[in-house]
Amino acid sequence: MARTANLAPASPTPRLQVRRLIAGFSAVFGLACLVIVGALFNIAGTLDQQERQRSAVQANQALEQRLLASRQFLSAYAVWDAAYEHLAGQTDWKWAYEEKNVGESLYSASGYEGVFVVNDTHTTYGLFKGQPTQAAASTYIEDALQPIIDQARAAAIPREQVSRFVLFNGWPAVLSAAAVRPDREVTENEVSQAPVMLFVDQLTEDKLARLGTGVGLSGLHVEKDDVGEHEHLHIDLGNTGFHLSWNNPLPGHQLLQAVLPPLAGALLILGLVMLYLFRHALRSSRAIDLTLARLQQSNQALEASEQRFRAVAESASDWIWETDRQQRLSYLSQRFTKVTGYPVSDWLGQPLNQLLACDTTPLSPWLDALAMADPQQLANLRCTYRDQNGQNRYCRISARAIWYDDKPIGYRGTASDITDEVDAHARIQHLSLHDPLTGLANRNKLARHLEQALLRGSDSPPMTLLLLDLDDFKPINDTLGHTAGDAVLLEVATRLRDSTRDGDLVARLGGDEFILVLSGMDNRSEIDSFCARLIALLQQPIMFDSQPLHVGASIGVAQTRTQGFDAGELIRCADIALYQAKADGKNTWRYFAAEMNQQIQYRRQLENDMRRALRNQEFVLHYQPRYRLSDLRIVAVEALLRWQHPQEGLLGPDTFIPLAEHSDIIVALGRWVLREACYTAQDWPADVLVSVNLSPAQFLRSDVVADVREILLDTGFPAQRLELEITENVMLNDIEGALGTMLALKELGVRLNMDDFGTGYSSLGYLRTYPFDSIKIDKRFIGGLGSGGSSDRAVVQAIISLGKALGLTVTAEGVESEQQLEMLETDLCHEVQGYYLSRPLDSVGLDALWHQASERSAPYL
Ligand code: C2E
Ligand code: CA
Ligand code: CA
């Protein structure tokens, strides 16, 4: 059997795992986002930084260029012989301005807002925005001019110029200065007093814009030092209090602006998608968790049920088997080994029908039929098998098909070992059909044999019935004792058996009466010679204790040919013939003849008498108590019928009931008994049952259930206090019908007791199927207790344990001695009844018993 996997509770649940995964994933995702954004910013920063540096370099270069260009431009005017000639000393305005040597175009074409020629003390020539001005240069230029003049003069010798940033007219400008000098080698002295030409290139917005465009800078402008951010790129413009600034080129920023929104969008979407997936995963994992939890639960339940099953399987006395569809064993419970002795492994894989066999129904098709039938169908079959010791054993198997997907996939069932039960039953059966002393058939077997043989009526082969009674047997028994009697009976039995053929039956009816049923022999002379031979044979002395004993035999003959096909009638006829044979001098035989039939007439008379007796209320009930063995309290009282015959006195039931059973009188008689018993028992102690005997004939001839119901209703007697005693013979005639009747009786609430158990056709099946509450061991077995008949004791014990096994109360009837009572007590019989405890009492006697009991309060004995 497959063991279920145990889900280790320590391992994290899928949900937890998913959560961890999600957390890890989220962290990685976040980190990746951070890294991407960080890298992006880093790239952008680097880009911006590089671009700023580049732009600064460019701005510087542009400015330098401007300064250089301005100086070179100035140099063309300052280092010029003509200029020296016209501007040193007295300023020649005409040359300079009007002749446009240093004229208006310096502003309009070259963009110089200020053009001045200065010497140490004053301005000798000046143009402001191309127009001559008399105002001193210092009026426009907010800077000390002298140092500039000095530097310019100093630089004149190597033909250099100076330039610097100044405020011109309040606005930053590039001031270039150069001493005016002739274009030849000059001495220091010559230039020390030379006029200095100043070109002022104001850094106007236009010019800066052009300058910026030239080098790829936008927004090039000047602004005051105290305006704008300091980190902003700028170039200081000397001491002017202004600086040059331009728009920071920010490719990185642009990159960020271009990339960030879509990136953020993409990441957001990715994030949302992940969120959705996570939620989904979480939900799924929750579902998985739930499923797992359920799975675990059902696993536990499964394991529990398996343990339960194992506990049951191992404690049960039955073993459990399973086969596949081909009926090969696939499972056997532990019990199997204990019961059969075989190791389980010996049989796994083997076909079931190799282990078990049923003589009436082949096992394999029987199982196959289950697979065709209703899936719930459970069937039982009695099988035999050999255990490991080679012993033949019996088991009852119950089986049903195993279904999977509406298809049978195998079979499963239990097997209960019923060997002991079957053995006990077989023993009971044997004893019930055989005479314990001689082993010959007894009355029961005879009845069965005759019934079977006569069943076919006129079709059956002719049969001859010999009723044989020993002559002079009683004196042997009386004078030499039972042992001698038994020895004689045994020898007679042997001789009878030896002289008959296979199909014949030899039975002992009890005492010294035997019956021989001869089949296929109806020829008178044949029968005559057989009888003569038999009598001669039995007259041979029988040795006992080296002493010859002599008996003889008389025989009554009845034949199916002439006496019909009724077993009872045949025996009765043979009995009449026997009587005649004895009357005619013994050691002879007589055939039945009609004139011997006075007895028959007597019986007819009796029938009529009974009808009259019923009308005249000649019947009475006597009552015999039944006791619980443990404390000898009265638990039930059995009603026994008597006939107060006007001429013949009190008659026992054996004298008239068999006859009544042959007609409808039994029905009326039975109803009377039932009604009388229920009526009388109302006055008894409330815990005492009343037992009423029912004849099988009543079952056949009337509706017993309706009768019982009507009488219970009429008398108001509680059903649970009524017990019906039924012999096994009830089931003989109509098994199914009898079962139905008994179930219906049980439904009324009455108790059912199987009477005379062990004498009839008792079958275990009956006991199991029929709803009996109790069984009564026949008094014949009890009578055998304590008389040296140990086999009776064994039977009694077997019946007691069988009854107990089936949950039935077991009563022993016919207890006549203390010794028997003790034995039954030892054997744990439940209840007892018999002359030793109380004979059947008339109603006066019973009343006295109650009275006595109530005085003593208990027990009732
Ligand atoms: P039974 O039902 O087996 O009744 C027990 C018989 O054994 C009774 O005989 C009883 O008197 C007798 N008995 C009781 N204790 C002892 C004992 O210790 N030793 C001996 N040897 N016998 C004992 P009874 O009253 O003659 O009845 C004989 C049978 O007649 C009954 O056998 C029963 O089958 C039948 N019977 C009696 N009353 C009725 C009845 O009302 N209706 C029917 N259908 N049958 C009845
Ligand atoms: Ca009885
Ligand atoms: Ca009985």
Side-chain angles (χ1 to χ4, degrees), residues 83 166 222 411 590 780:
V166 294
V222 289
Y411 304 91
R590 287 289 176 270
R780 200 186 78 193

Side-chain angles (χ1 to χ4, degrees), residues 1-4 306:
M1 203 139 288
R3 288 197 59 91
T4 50
E306 209 173 295

Side-chain angles (χ1 to χ4, degrees), residues 290-308:
L290 217 67
T291 315
L292 269 180
R294 286 203 197 115
L295 194 69
Q296 210 163 349
Q297 268 176 4
S298 66
N299 263 333
Q300 279 166 356
L302 193 68
E303 205 162 332
S305 107
E306 209 173 295
Q307 279 175 2
R308 226 173 288 135

Side-chain angles (χ1 to χ4, degrees), residues 650-662:
L650 194 67
L651 297 180
D654 289 336
T655 58
F656 58 89
I657 283 197
L659 194 69
E661 284 177 335
H662 279 103

Side-chain angles (χ1 to χ4, degrees), residues 472-616:
D472 307 320
F473 174 72
K474 207 168 178 301
I476 297 177
N477 220 18
D478 290 349
T479 54
L480 299 173
H482 277 296
T483 352
D486 287 355
V488 169
L489 290 173
L490 270 170
E491 180 57 25
V492 169
T494 310
R495 290 182 188 177
L496 289 179
R497 220 174 349 226
D498 289 349
S499 53
T500 51
R501 290 178 296 195
D502 266 359
D504 301 339
L505 182 88
V506 183
R508 178 178 169 223
L509 292 188
D512 56 356
E513 269 192 348
F514 298 85
I515 277 192
L516 286 82
V517 183
L518 312 174
S519 48
M521 190 194 290
D522 69 332
N523 180 307
R524 274 234 178 183
S525 61
E526 232 180 321
I527 297 170
D528 283 346
S529 60
F530 182 77
C531 287
R533 216 172 49 233
L534 217 52
I535 288 170
L537 191 65
L538 293 177
Q539 278 176 327
Q540 303 278 316
I542 294 166
M543 296 305 289
F544 175 74
D545 263 356
S546 345
Q547 184 186 352
L549 302 177
H550 294 273
V551 291
S554 303
I555 300 172
V557 185
Q559 289 177 286
T560 49
R561 258 295 145 83
T562 41
Q563 275 79 51
F565 300 96
D566 181 286
E569 188 75 4
L570 271 180
I571 296 174
R572 204 162 49 78
C573 292
D575 194 28
I576 293 169
L578 172 66
Y579 183 79
Q580 197 63 51
K582 282 197 184 273
D584 290 351
K586 302 185 179 171
N587 280 323
T588 183
W589 66 95
R590 287 289 176 270
Y591 291 86
F592 172 78
E595 49 281 13
M596 300 173 184
N597 205 6
Q598 285 152 356
Q599 285 211 29
I600 295 170
Q601 279 168 20
Y602 166 74
R603 284 169 201 223
R604 295 244 161 80
Q605 177 69 41
L606 202 63
E607 262 179 43
N608 286 333
D609 285 358
M610 271 195 282
R611 284 183 225 282
R612 190 208 62 230
L614 256 178
R615 283 196 301 274
N616 296 350

